[in-house]
Amino acid sequence: MSLIRWLGECADRLLEWHASWKPARLRLLPVLGLFLLALCLRQFADLDLFARIALGRLIWRDGGVPLEDPFAYTPTKPVWYDHEWGAGFIFYGLARLGGDVALFAASFALACAAIAVVYAALRELAGDRPAGVVWLGLGLLPCFIVWEPVIRSRVFTFLCFAVFLLVFARLRVRGRTRLLWLLPAVTAAWANLHAGFVVGLMSLGVVAAWHVFERGRRAWPAALCLLACVPATLINPYGAAFWRFVFEGVTKARVQILEWQPTDPLSPRGLFLLATAAVLLLGWLRNRKSIPPEGLILLAGSFIEAWKHFRLGPLFHWTAIVYGAGAFMTALDWARQALPERVVELGRRVLTLAAAVGAVLGVYVGAWVLVQAESFTLSRHILPVEAMAWLRVNRSGGRMLVHFGEGSYALWQGHPEFLVSMDGRYEAVYPDEVVEDVYRAFHPDTPDLPGRVDEIGADFMLLCEYYGDRPPPEAYGSAWRVIYRDEECAILGREPNPGGAIGAPLPGRKEIWTPHF
């Protein structure tokens, strides 16, 4: 028997075995194994995580959510509206409980919960076909960036939105309205975890409006649920004023933030976005009932937003996993008839074997992480760990001019002795003119760079190469001297540097979760 034939028979048996798993949610295990493998290969800490943890530390220490920023020396907004304070509270508790391992485990657990819920919604609309697992796996590919850095507040948005989608699906298929009353409670929690709750409200508005149009008076539970969810967002530390901040954030143009730029149609994400839309369109054209009417509206709206801002691409794919499953299966049936049978069989077997191998590797790597839990660490190669450790030991305090990228870590490690110029909370804390001034201070083409830096005012400056093209230290003038340097970062100070001695990394100072305040 040839190797190819033997592998083909193995694939057929794997498919039959996988299709026989009961209950159907067990079929998720290969997908989760692949997901765990991918997560283990990209285990780096998110840059904004440290600002979240710093806020969580303040809440744990002071017993309440702070309304004024204590971390910056530059002018800040009168009130610090933090739509992610609940996430910061949770992240700090995880960091104190188990450090890197607890944060990584929480990221994977939240991902598994979101995937399981969205798969349940998929099965409601498209039925219990094995192709549903394939569509789920394909849809997760562009969504992986949500959980790729460990750990971002938007993981709660994808979990809560999955709950919304499941409720919508059961309302469409079974006409069940009891689960609608779960949504106000989910919304109240969501509003304190991440501003993505706006997506849930808008989606609920679309579903409620269509059901009113479709069913008339019988649709009153959906409309009443929407009316209950809106005031539920007012259960927050800031009251009704929170909505003004949310509205400003939703309409804000973030021209300097890469992930808020339009999607490049020739990039991998752009091509995947277009390919997904093409599959959905093909399936819908062949079967107009494969996508519910409200699903068409949600898919069209999320596609437009994904095209305008590639950060929002995962929300389109998350919606497509549920509402596009029927169209995908219709398109898949057409492809099976149109393509040669040998091509279809080959593709099916290759996909099956690849999934099986990846799932086994995922389980193995996950077990290895558990065994090595005591020595497991997240990747910190893009964090100024050594630089901030050296600064804390060798200087008593001061004002730090830092870029958006390293600002969150700098404030977590520097406060209260060192205050920062800006960090990842830019739209919640800093006026637009401060953000613009700090960006210009790190742009190589800024005219009169020393003068710009003097206007901001600082005692130290942190330059890290991995955050993009930065001016060389000499571009800031003779008033600044390099006082520390490692492979990635340099610290400039205004003080004299007698003898030209430059600080070096301190051995053994790698702990980053112990608070200094």
Side-chain angles (χ1 to χ4, degrees), residues 378-435:
L378 299 174
S379 174
R380 302 171 185 174
H381 73 280
I382 58 173
L383 300 175
V385 177
E386 289 81 6
M388 287 305 303
W390 182 90
L391 191 65
R392 284 192 59 86
V393 170
N394 290 277
R395 298 296 184 271
S396 59
R399 301 169 299 173
M400 292 187 62
L401 180 57
V402 293
H403 192 265
F404 167 92
E406 60 264 33
S408 293
Y409 183 80
L411 72 83
W412 165 246
Q413 288 292 287
H415 188 78
E417 290 83 6
F418 297 91
L419 302 180
V420 300
S421 57
M422 188 180 73
D423 63 273
R425 306 164 302 144
Y426 62 98
E427 63 184 30
V429 173
Y430 304 95
D432 291 342
E433 55 271 19
V434 171
V435 175

Side-chain angles (χ1 to χ4, degrees), residues 53-262:
I53 288 180
L55 171 61
R57 167 61 180 165
L58 291 179
I59 298 172
W60 281 61
R61 187 191 69 181
D62 301 334
V65 179
L67 299 180
E68 296 182 0
D69 173 71
F71 300 113
Y73 73 86
T74 51
T76 58
K77 294 180 179 180
V79 180
W80 175 15
Y81 294 101
D82 197 315
H83 61 277
E84 302 175 4
W85 73 267
F89 183 80
I90 295 171
F91 294 163
Y92 177 72
L94 290 169
R96 293 293 292 158
L97 177 67
D100 293 16
V101 174
L103 290 167
F104 180 85
S107 181
F108 181 62
L110 288 169
C112 289
I115 293 170
V117 174
V118 85
Y119 180 58
L122 178 158
R123 290 172 51 228
E124 286 287 339
L125 288 176
D128 192 16
R129 292 178 57 183
V133 179
V134 177
W135 179 240
L136 174 69
L138 292 173
L140 283 176
L141 290 176
C143 295
F144 180 69
I145 59 173
V146 174
W147 301 276
E148 179 183 27
V150 181
I151 178 175
R152 302 188 69 169
S153 303
R154 61 180 178 175
V155 298
F156 295 107
T157 280
F158 281 78
L159 176 57
C160 293
F161 190 38
V163 174
F164 270 60
L165 292 173
L166 177 59
V167 173
F168 297 162
R170 291 195 172 181
L171 181 64
R172 161 58 61 182
V173 176
R174 308 186 191 185
R176 291 187 176 180
T177 59
R178 286 183 297 177
L179 281 180
L180 284 170
W181 309 117
L182 174 67
L183 299 188
V186 174
T187 302
W190 193 356
N192 292 282
L193 294 168
H194 191 250
F197 73 90
V198 175
V199 175
L201 289 181
M202 294 175 64
S203 301
L204 178 58
V206 169
V207 172
W210 184 260
H211 275 264
V212 169
F213 172 77
E214 192 176 49
R215 302 182 181 182
R217 294 181 179 179
R218 292 180 299 168
W220 67 267
L224 192 60
C225 176
L226 177 61
L227 294 177
C229 284
V230 173
T233 63
L234 300 179
I235 306 175
N236 65 74
Y238 315 105
F242 178 61
W243 258 104
R244 182 177 61 186
F245 164 76
V246 171
F247 179 78
E248 292 176 354
V250 170
T251 58
K252 188 179 183 64
R254 303 169 178 86
V255 296
Q256 296 165 322
I257 309 300
L258 181 62
E259 63 183 1
W260 287 102
Q261 301 305 308

Side-chain angles (χ1 to χ4, degrees), residues 358-369:
V360 171
L361 287 175
V363 172
Y364 172 78
V365 172
W368 178 84
V369 169

